[in-house]
Amino acid sequence: MSSPSAWSVPRNAVRDVCTTQRFFLPVAALVLLADVALTALIIKKVPYTEIDFATYIQQADVLLRGERDYHKITGDSGPCVYPAGHLYLYTLFHYLGSGLPNIPLSQLVFGGVYIANLAVVIALYHVGGAPTVLLPFLASSKRLHSIYVLRMFNDPLAMFFFYVSVLALCRRNWTAAVATFSFALSIKMNILLFLPALATTLFRALGLPRSLPLALLFLAVQLTLALPFITPSPTTRAHYLTQSFDLSRVFLFKWTVNWRFVPESVFLSGGFARGLLGGHVGMLGLFGLFRWTGIGRMGLGWVRLNWSGPVGAVAPAAAQYKSAVNRAKLERTFAPTADYILSSLFTANLIGIICSRSLHYQFYSWYAHQIPFLLWRAHLPILLKILLPITIELAWNTFPSTTLSSLVLLASHLVLLAGIWRAHAGDALQDEAVLRARAGFKPTAAAAAAFATGGGGGVVGGGSKASTRGGKKRR
């Protein structure tokens, strides 16, 4: 009979894979290679389904023939209802087919986008300290493969550039992050769901005065891309703005994934839309005040501490960092952690998804790759962490949606959001405490008082444990 020690090595290896980033890079490489093969097999064996791709090519053709009025840029399924970046990207697919949809070649391009997107997401999980065990789940969605290579919607393109912008955020490249984020928004409006968390991240990283130029850059990218459509006349300008950023758009009830259990008359009513908007604003307010910032626990004192960047919040009296060079180094060191950036952005998106008036099947790509990270950060029983991704995936694979599938999807989202709240994931005060601890600085008096009243989260107040990498404490 084997001695207990004979099992200790494999047991420890399994434990490390589940709780740390041991074997992260080899497993990541295997996941990518396996998904390359799987995606190629899907393209070869599963028939393509035409939904909107031909319309996108037709709209690009109208653009290339010189039309700049959004009311006249149309295709078989209707006028263009996406910002300018969408048209520019599908112009490239127009060229691939010499003006006609080239399905086989376009599928290969979307397959490449899918793999590139997966690689960027894996990089985000790595910098965010997520354990190795999460990686296979990033490549396990049937619906996600379909959205990318069998439907070729624009949602995956927008999300790819979004994830690239988040990687730039995690690497403290604020200018590239904002420019890429704005370009992602120019493809599809759903990127707006991440904007509140992006704003709090930049405020914490740079303070308000130095965040304003980035806000101008954000607008400049939008205006530059939109120039061909907003400069010809006031009419074309109005048509572009009302069609590409139509916040009042009402979707057909028959396509809803998330509200099938609601009567159609209620679904289409203005009161239902206003209720969802109120819920969206309310949940963003709660997380914004009590998680992503310290305003709810420290009042305007937190704003004053962060007004000029992270030095005020982390080490306002650090005499050795008075010089401009050392202060800049300190600010880079004390910028929000990758864990904070990912947790706050992904949570803001989840809140928007919960409160969306209608989710269509392609919208799953808005957050499918974020679910494993959020489950890892959530304070939930392990059984729920196993069940929730299954119930969410099953709901998205139920076609057409049913009362039960919609209820299950909503319940799964709400349970996940509650777990994130309980875990203090994306907690600004907790994040500042981590940064102070790394540098050996004591908490500011205001922050210490906030922690003393129970508002500090994991580092002082008993939230989630610090993530680890390679079996050691993450730095």
Side-chain angles (χ1 to χ4, degrees):
M1 184 175 179
S2 300
S3 64
S5 60
W7 295 98
S8 61
V9 173
R11 185 172 62 246
N12 291 341
V14 171
R15 181 197 62 201
D16 288 347
V17 166
C18 291
T19 60
T20 75
Q21 291 195 326
R22 188 179 182 187
F23 307 122
F24 190 98
L25 295 181
V27 172
L30 288 174
V31 168
L32 282 169
L33 289 173
D35 214 3
V36 167
L38 176 60
T39 303
L41 186 64
I42 291 172
I43 292 173
K44 183 177 180 179
K45 297 293 186 180
V46 183
Y48 163 79
T49 302
E50 173 56 45
I51 298 180
D52 285 329
F53 184 71
T55 293
Y56 297 161
I57 300 300
Q58 292 163 2
Q59 292 168 350
D61 184 69
V62 175
L63 172 68
L64 291 172
R65 285 191 276 111
E67 184 57 64
R68 297 296 181 265
D69 187 340
Y70 250 57
H71 274 195
K72 299 177 182 178
I73 300 177
T74 62
D76 288 342
S77 59
C80 182
V81 292
Y82 306 111
H86 158 83
L87 282 175
Y88 298 147
L89 287 178
Y90 279 90
T91 296
L92 300 178
F93 291 99
H94 178 280
Y95 286 129
L96 287 180
S98 300
L100 297 173
N102 186 331
I103 301 303
L105 186 55
S106 297
Q107 282 186 289
L108 290 177
V109 173
F110 266 89
V113 171
Y114 173 83
I115 296 301
N117 187 85
L118 179 60
V120 174
V121 170
I122 287 174
L124 289 174
Y125 274 54
H126 190 249
V127 298
T132 306
V133 70
L134 299 182
L135 298 183
F137 297 99
L138 296 175
S140 62
S141 172
K142 174 186 175 183
R143 175 62 64 185
L144 205 57
H145 284 90
S146 173
I147 291 168
Y148 275 79
V149 299
L150 300 180
R151 305 294 189 272
M152 297 190 287
F153 289 111
N154 60 355
D155 307 75
L157 300 176
M159 291 309 300
F160 170 72
F161 287 102
F162 164 74
Y163 286 126
V164 170
S165 75
V166 178
L167 189 58
L169 277 177
C170 292
R171 292 178 174 174
R172 314 295 192 261
N173 193 333
W174 315 117
T175 301
V178 170
T180 311
F181 185 95
S182 188
F183 182 74
L185 177 60
S186 79
I187 302 170
K188 192 152 188 175
M189 193 171 56
N190 71 288
I191 303 300
L192 282 173
L193 297 178
F194 299 97
L195 192 58
L198 174 66
T200 59
T201 295
L202 293 176
F203 179 77
R204 282 194 57 212
L206 301 170
L208 184 63
R210 285 182 295 161
S211 295
L212 291 178
L214 292 177
L216 295 176
L217 172 64
F218 177 90
L219 293 174
V221 171
Q222 292 298 312
L223 289 173
T224 301
L225 294 170
L227 276 178
F229 310 101
I230 63 177
T231 53
S233 71
T235 300
T236 61
R237 184 184 310 123
H239 289 172
Y240 176 79
L241 294 175
T242 55
Q243 284 189 208
S244 59
F245 294 100
D246 184 5
L247 296 174
S248 62
R249 186 180 177 192
V250 179
F251 293 100
L252 295 176
F253 180 69
K254 69 177 182 178
W255 297 120
T256 185
V257 177
N258 56 329
W259 298 116
R260 180 66 63 186
F261 60 90
V262 174
E264 185 172 3
S265 59
V266 174
F267 175 84
L268 297 174
S269 68
F272 184 65
R274 289 189 293 272
L276 290 174
L277 178 60
H280 191 184
V281 172
M283 284 191 280
L284 284 178
L286 282 174
F287 275 87
L289 291 172
F290 293 95
R291 291 296 182 267
W292 306 332
T293 73
I295 296 173
R297 291 160 287 180
M298 294 174 59
L300 294 179
W302 184 87
V303 176
R304 287 192 293 270
L305 286 172
N306 285 273
W307 187 262
S308 297
V311 174
V314 178
Q320 66 268 41
Y321 291 103
K322 290 298 184 182
S323 74
V325 173
N326 285 334
R327 184 180 176 89
K329 180 180 178 181
L330 182 69
E331 288 180 341
R332 184 174 178 83
T333 301
F334 288 156
T337 64
D339 175 71
Y340 171 87
I341 293 170
L342 298 179
S343 296
S344 59
L345 284 168
F346 294 173
T347 303
N349 186 46
L350 178 63
I351 291 171
I353 286 170
I354 290 172
C355 298
S356 290
R357 190 169 184 179
S358 184
L359 295 176
H360 293 180
Y361 285 94
Q362 65 267 33
F363 297 178
Y364 189 35
S365 61
W366 295 2
Y367 76 126
H369 282 135
Q370 301 160 32
I371 292 171
F373 186 91
L374 291 176
L375 283 167
W376 169 62
R377 292 296 286 115
H379 185 71
L380 293 170
I382 187 64
L383 181 60
L384 277 178
K385 291 192 176 190
I386 294 172
L387 288 177
L388 285 180
I390 297 173
T391 58
I392 291 172
E393 178 74 16
L394 288 176
W396 281 101
N397 281 286
T398 301
F399 180 82
S401 63
T402 64
T403 295
L404 178 60
S405 68
S406 293
L407 282 170
V408 167
L409 184 63
L410 178 61
S412 300
H413 288 163
L414 291 174
V415 170
L416 177 55
L417 187 65
I420 294 167
W421 175 268
R422 290 184 63 200
H424 284 258
D427 190 303
L429 295 187
Q430 176 176 316
D431 202 50
E432 290 167 4
V434 169
L435 294 169
R436 277 192 296 272
R438 289 178 184 174
F441 290 118
K442 294 181 179 180
T444 61
F451 278 117
T453 59
V459 174
V460 177
S464 60
K465 295 180 180 179
S467 59
T468 56
R469 175 175 293 164
K472 299 179 181 179
K473 287 188 178 180
R474 181 172 158 241
R475 298 186 65 80

